[in-house]
């Protein structure tokens, strides 16, 4: 499809903003210099549900340096309360523990924090529903899943197929609540002037913040400007703006002519910016004597919030992974008095593929087959869900290539067969997948000077992935220019339209817009200027691909109707389990991925490596413990919420096939941001089973589960 001359794409260009970041001169949102800021410390509800009976802010207001105490009693009325998460301080109601119910504004953050501790709030508490139960009777089918996916799918007769299958499996897997926890807790600087709102924040999408906040304050979107220059990680918790941003904007409205600075604390990151909901997943598989699947069923139960529905697309990967004539996937949710969940690191695929790929391992054993051969035997010819051919699907090749690199052949298939000095040693494998999206609506401006320098403008976000660098490479090739002559400007809502950095679709979607703008520029130069740049330079802007009917699963590529587009991978793990204590170590992870053309091997490797590290973290550590009596996350800091650190990570090897996809986008690439986490936890759980003979179906795999 593309006629790009390959020069910059495919080279391991070092991160262009690396030096600024390392030297500390890259200014993140909190570090933007503003005149005479005031500091805002939020007040969080300390009951799970009920109402505020009274607020005594007397002592707080009397503190020297306190400018105001913002509560529902004096808060500006919002123009729209359509988004209940953003519509804070409009009544005395409390919808979940931690909900923002006010804030203290002061001359320093220390004064604000101290004064916040002096505010007395009297509540009328109501008993809430905080716990997701397996047998929950109040489950319902959400209308859609996150990103517009269909709630349920059915084909054939799963029950009949299971009843007559030679081999069957019926197992339930659970995954816990997890929080995104980027290194930089969410910061906001809000400035209200001339009837407009200016925000510095850390976001995956400046125009998403603009679009969602403007109506809340009754502003034309053009009156809201959002700047997000550098971002310390995203992980999903910055796809959308949350109540902290609305609170800062309200405070800026209240305190005339002073910029308001609000930085969430790490603990507030456990209440304000969403989380991955826990899941209870029942998988049933049926197979014939030859190890061919005849039935696949995946039924998911997850909590959602009464305040706002979010239903994770947990079983979607099960719809397209393996062939079987009888299939069923369902999603049910229970609405609880808790904060709303949101997308987090491979929402859907990450927890869903833990269940499916654990079940595939169990089933391979039940069929007496090697788990790699079992998967390859069940490879579909076309996407079993849509019936469309795959744009490219090299899963079998990833599995075979990975097996060779990992040394799978030497493996004794029997569990608990290898013991080395008190450690039980095992290996496991799992498949990985993530949809390949091209989001419509993106547009780019390219300005060329007579000296041959190019400025590329697009409201994209670099959440730490290296987007600035990758986009420069794409622009260089599209313009047939040197990367040194390209400058890419992103992170400002005034720039041409760009979807957020989400769905692992940033590079593809923004890159496609840049390629289109480059084509337009060359066309314009030829038609209007005889092929050379005029003295005053030239500027073009590509038309945004239409966003009008953005209803179904994220559409985009002109080929999306004709091909099923997904990235794939094979994940291998070696684990060692201490026989007497149950301690689990993962000395080795190896992944081979089918990611189309790699735009930048150095950055791409980092992303996949990071994804696999998340997967290791998901397998062994991450677990937000919600107290069902009070509604708070008990381990709401990095002392109690463990994320894989250096000492937890052994060798991680990342490989990719390097096969360009002919249809996904003009670069022939596939999204890689989230692929690396998918399947890792199952590979580790399968290796734990191989090491110990114990099947852990509940994440995280902690040592208590291995001391049977
Ligand atoms: Mo990703 S969880 O779509 O930011």
């Amino acid at each position: 499809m593309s006629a790009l001359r390959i020069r910059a794409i495919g080279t391991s260009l070092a991160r262009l903003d690396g030096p600024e970041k390392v030297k500390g001169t890259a200014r993140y949102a909190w570090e933007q210099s503003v005149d005479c800021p005031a500091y805002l410390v939020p007040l969080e509800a300390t009951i799970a549900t009920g109402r505020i009976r009274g607020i005594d802010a007397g002592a707080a207001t009397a503190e020297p340096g306190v400018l105001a105490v913002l509560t529902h009693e004096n808060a500006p009325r919002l123009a729209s309360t359509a988004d209940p998460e953003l519509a804070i301080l409009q009544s005395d109601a409390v919808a979940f523990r931690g909900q923002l119910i006010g804030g203290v504004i002061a001359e320093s953050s220390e004064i604000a924090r101290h004064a916040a501790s002096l505010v007395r709030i009297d509540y009328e508490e109501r008993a809430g529903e905080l716990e997701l139960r397996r047998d929950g009777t109040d489950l319902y089918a959400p209308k859609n899943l996150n990103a517009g996916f269909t709630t349920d799918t059915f084909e054939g007769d799963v029950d009949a197929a299971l009843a007559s299958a030679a081999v069957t499996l019926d197992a339930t897997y659970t995954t816990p609540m997890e929080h995104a926890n980027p290194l930089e807790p969410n910061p906001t600087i809000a400035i209200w002037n001339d009837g407009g709102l200016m925000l510095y924040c850390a976001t995956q999408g400046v125009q998403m913040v603009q679009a969602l906040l403007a109506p809340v304050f009754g502003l034309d979107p053009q009156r809201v400007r959002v700047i997000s220059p550098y971002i310390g990680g995203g992980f999903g918790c910055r796809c959308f703006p949350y109540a902290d941003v609305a609170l800062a904007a309200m405070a800026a409205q209240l305190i005339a002519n002073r910029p308001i600075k609000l930085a969430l604390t790490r603990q507030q990151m456990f209440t304000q910016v969403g989380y991955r909901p826990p899941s209870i997943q029942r998988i049933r598989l049926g197979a014939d004597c030859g190890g061919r699947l005849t039935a696949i069923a995946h039924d998911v139960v997850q909590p959602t919030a009464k305040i706002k529905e979010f239903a994770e697309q947990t079983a979607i990967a099960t719809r397209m992974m393996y062939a079987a004539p009888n299939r069923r996937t369902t999603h049910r949710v229970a609405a609880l008095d808790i904060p709303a969940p949101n997308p987090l690191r491979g929402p859907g695929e990450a927890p869903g593929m833990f269940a499916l790929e654990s079940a595939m391992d169990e089933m391979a054993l039940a069929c007496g087959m090697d788990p790699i051969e079992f998967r390859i035997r069940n490879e579909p010819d076309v996407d079993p869900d849509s019936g469309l051919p795959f744009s490219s699907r090299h899963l079998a090749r990833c599995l075979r290539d990975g097996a060779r690199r990992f040394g799978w052949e030497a493996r004794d298939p029997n569990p608990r067969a290898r013991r080395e000095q008190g450690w039980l040693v095992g290996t496991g494998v799992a498949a990985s997948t993530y949809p390949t999206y091209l989001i419509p609506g993106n547009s780019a401006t390219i300005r060329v000077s007579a000296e041959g320098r190019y400025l590329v403008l697009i409201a994209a976000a670099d959440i730490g992935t290296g987007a600035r660098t990758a986009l420069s490479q794409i622009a260089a090739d599209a313009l047939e220019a040197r990367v040194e002559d390209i400058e890419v400007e992103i992170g400002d809502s005034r720039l041409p339209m760009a979807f957020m950095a989400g769905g692992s679709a940033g590079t593809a979607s923004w890159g496609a817009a840049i390629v289109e703008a480059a084509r337009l520029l060359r066309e314009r130069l030829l038609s209007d200027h005889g092929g050379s740049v005029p003295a005053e330079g030239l500027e073009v802007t590509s038309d945004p691909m239409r966003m009008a009917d953005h209803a179904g699963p994220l559409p985009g590529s002109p080929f999306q109707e004709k091909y099923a587009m997904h990235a794939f991978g094979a994940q291998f793990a070696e684990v060692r389990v201490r026989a007497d204590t149950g301690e689990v170590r993962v000395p080795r992870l190896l992944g081979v991925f089918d990611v189309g053309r790699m735009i930048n091997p150095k950055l791409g490797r980092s992303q996949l490596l990071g994804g696999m590290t998340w997967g290791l973290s998901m397998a062994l550590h991450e677990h937000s413990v919600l107290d069902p009596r009070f509604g708070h996350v008990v381990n709401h800091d990095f002392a109690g919420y463990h994320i894989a650190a250096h000492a937890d990570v052994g060798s991680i090897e990342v490989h990719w096939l390097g096969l360009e996809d002919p249809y996904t986008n003009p670069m022939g690439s596939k999204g890689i941001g989230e692929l690396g986490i998918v399947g890792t936890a199952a590979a580790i759980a399968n290796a734990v089973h191989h090491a110990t003979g114990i099947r852990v179906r509940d994440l995280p795999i902690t040592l208590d589960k291995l001391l049977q």
Side-chain angles (χ1 to χ4, degrees):
M1 156 173 184
S2 106
L4 297 184
R5 193 145 56 82
I6 306 310
R7 282 183 312 186
I9 291 179
T11 62
S12 282
L13 185 65
R15 219 171 266 267
L16 298 173
D17 48 13
E20 285 99 309
K21 288 188 172 181
V22 172
K23 286 186 287 188
T25 55
R27 284 202 186 176
Y28 287 70
W30 183 258
E31 298 159 337
Q32 297 296 316
S33 57
V34 289
D35 281 340
C36 202
Y39 295 82
L40 169 64
V41 164
L43 296 170
E44 294 185 317
T46 56
I47 59 165
T49 175
R51 58 175 282 271
I52 298 166
R53 202 153 33 202
I55 298 181
D56 177 3
T61 313
E63 277 295 305
V66 170
L67 300 168
V69 177
L70 182 62
T71 69
H72 71 276
E73 290 166 357
N74 63 352
R77 294 298 96 189
L78 297 172
S80 166
T81 54
D83 184 335
E85 262 189 307
L86 294 176
I88 49 169
L89 276 52
Q90 302 302 293
S91 80
D92 59 5
V94 173
F96 59 87
R97 180 162 172 153
Q99 187 175 30
L100 293 187
I101 53 167
V104 176
I105 309 158
E107 294 292 350
S108 75
S109 58
E110 290 79 5
I111 296 171
R113 195 167 66 224
H114 172 64
S117 75
L118 302 177
V119 178
R120 293 284 159 258
I121 296 166
D122 181 27
Y123 295 101
E124 186 180 300
E125 201 170 347
R126 199 160 50 71
E129 293 169 80
L130 302 170
E131 202 165 14
L132 175 69
R133 291 170 323 187
R134 259 167 222 250
D135 58 347
T137 45
D138 298 333
L139 298 174
Y140 70 93
K143 213 163 163 192
N144 287 112
L145 307 175
N146 179 44
F149 287 98
T150 310
T151 304
D152 298 342
T153 57
F154 300 98
E155 197 175 318
D157 187 340
V158 163
D159 293 327
L162 286 169
S164 63
V167 186
T168 59
L169 172 89
D170 182 348
T172 298
Y173 304 84
T174 65
T175 62
M177 178 190 221
E178 296 167 1
H179 281 81
N181 277 314
L183 192 55
E184 175 201 31
N186 290 29
T188 304
I189 302 178
I191 305 165
W192 199 283
N193 54 25
D194 303 330
L197 176 63
M198 160 96 187
L199 293 165
Y200 291 102
C201 56
T203 176
Q204 293 173 236
V206 280
Q207 290 167 341
M208 187 63 84
V209 175
Q210 179 187 41
L212 296 182
L213 275 188
V216 173
F217 291 93
L219 294 170
D220 182 280
Q222 299 313 316
R223 306 289 301 159
V224 178
R225 184 173 183 191
V226 183
I227 295 182
S228 179
Y230 294 94
I231 300 127
F235 308 145
C237 81
R238 312 214 239 241
C239 285
F240 309 109
Y242 291 104
D244 57 320
V245 184
L247 186 74
M250 280 175 149
Q253 231 178 340
L254 199 72
I255 305 292
N257 303 318
R258 302 266 316 250
I260 297 291
K261 294 184 84 166
L262 184 169
L264 293 183
T265 61
R266 179 58 59 189
Q267 289 168 340
Q268 288 160 352
M269 291 294 286
F270 284 82
T271 44
Q272 299 307 326
V273 296
Y275 55 92
R276 190 203 299 286
S279 71
I280 301 169
Q281 307 178 52
R282 182 182 183 195
I283 301 235
R284 285 172 295 160
L285 300 175
D288 64 20
C289 310
R292 233 170 272 278
L293 288 168
T294 53
I296 303 176
H298 191 168
D299 299 298
V300 181
V301 172
Q302 292 184 280
T304 188
K306 283 185 191 164
I307 185 169
K308 188 175 182 179
E309 185 182 281
F310 170 90
E312 196 173 1
Q313 65 269 43
T314 304
I316 61 161
T318 301
R319 296 174 183 171
M320 45 63 66
M321 278 305 286
Y322 302 108
N326 303 287
R327 330 169 50 79
R328 154 199 167 100
T329 63
T330 68
H331 297 80
R332 296 293 175 270
V333 291
L336 304 178
D337 297 292
I338 55 175
N342 68 1
L344 187 146
R345 305 180 200 150
E349 291 82 7
M353 285 287 277
F354 163 67
L356 179 66
E357 290 300 295
S358 294
M360 287 297 284
D361 197 68
E362 297 199 47
M363 197 63 179
L365 278 168
C367 292
M369 283 181 73
D370 176 80
I372 292 176
E373 292 313 314
F374 180 60
R375 285 178 175 83
I376 291 172
R377 182 154 308 172
N378 289 289
E379 270 283 287
D381 299 330
V382 295
D383 173 9
D385 188 37
S386 65
L388 297 173
F390 288 98
S391 60
S392 63
R393 174 172 171 135
H394 303 295
L395 174 58
R397 202 153 154 180
C398 292
L399 286 162
R400 292 233 158 90
D401 189 46
R404 183 179 55 76
R405 291 173 184 276
F406 189 76
W408 188 258
E409 223 164 80
R411 181 184 195 252
D412 180 336
N414 296 304
R416 221 182 163 91
R418 206 170 137 200
R419 197 183 176 111
E420 291 171 10
Q421 293 164 343
W423 294 88
L424 301 168
V425 183
T427 53
V429 66
S432 171
T433 191
Y434 194 83
T436 298
Y437 299 121
L438 185 65
I439 313 287
N442 294 271
S443 153
T445 292
I446 301 180
R447 205 176 285 160
V448 60
S449 72
E451 293 73 44
R453 301 264 318 152
Y454 297 88
L455 180 62
V456 178
L457 307 167
I458 183 164
D462 189 334
I463 55 174
T465 51
R468 264 191 191 87
T469 312
L471 294 181
S472 300
Q473 291 173 271
I474 291 169
D477 283 0
L479 292 160
E480 302 191 353
R482 300 182 315 154
V483 176
E484 297 78 27
D485 291 328
I486 311 271
E487 192 184 327
V488 173
E489 199 180 315
I490 58 173
D492 185 335
S493 60
R494 286 193 180 166
L495 297 172
M497 196 156 145
F499 191 68
M500 64 174 171
S504 300
T507 303
S509 311
W510 309 324
I514 291 171
V515 169
E516 171 58 13
R519 187 195 63 75
L520 205 62
L521 181 72
R522 281 184 294 159
E523 188 182 281
R524 196 71 52 80
L525 281 172
L526 270 179
S527 62
D528 300 359
H529 303 281
S532 56
V533 182
E536 68 279 14
L538 186 65
E539 177 181 307
V540 300
T541 299
S542 61
D543 281 336
M545 284 169 65
R546 280 168 49 83
M547 203 141 182
D549 28 30
H550 195 113
L554 308 169
S557 159
F559 295 105
Q560 206 104 37
E561 319 271 275
K562 296 189 188 132
Y563 296 96
M565 301 187 187
H566 302 265
F568 296 92
Q571 304 246 17
F572 293 79
E574 178 183 323
V575 307
R576 302 169 81 82
V577 180
R578 186 92 211 161
D580 49 6
T581 65
E583 177 186 351
V584 183
R585 310 295 305 176
V586 181
R588 200 155 68 102
L589 288 175
L590 184 149
V592 178
F593 299 97
D594 164 17
V595 292
R597 176 184 289 150
M598 186 59 97
I599 306 289
N600 180 320
K602 190 182 202 172
L603 297 176
R605 179 180 171 274
S606 274
Q607 281 213 62
L608 292 165
L609 193 71
M612 291 169 79
T613 308
W614 296 343
L616 166 68
S617 206
M618 177 184 182
L620 301 184
H621 312 304
E622 293 190 51
H623 183 189
S624 301
V625 181
L626 185 94
D627 188 322
R629 297 165 303 167
F630 306 113
H632 67 302
V633 172
V634 180
N635 55 336
H636 59 174
D637 56 36
F638 281 168
Y641 186 92
H642 187 62
I643 296 175
H646 287 289
D648 299 303
V649 179
S651 151
I652 303 186
E653 257 186 72
V654 180
H655 304 275
W656 53 88
L657 301 177
L659 300 170
E660 178 183 343
D661 187 294
Y663 303 111
T664 48
N665 58 56
M667 289 74 67
S669 64
K670 296 182 178 183
I672 54 174
E674 290 156 290
L675 179 66
I677 189 177
V678 182
T680 321
I684 291 171
N686 296 341
V688 165
H689 176 264
H690 184 234
T692 64
I694 300 169
R695 179 66 63 178
V696 180
R697 300 190 183 90
D698 306 294
L699 292 185
I701 305 168
T702 46
L703 47 78
D704 51 301
K705 294 169 188 169
L706 296 166
L707 293 173
Q708 297 180 350

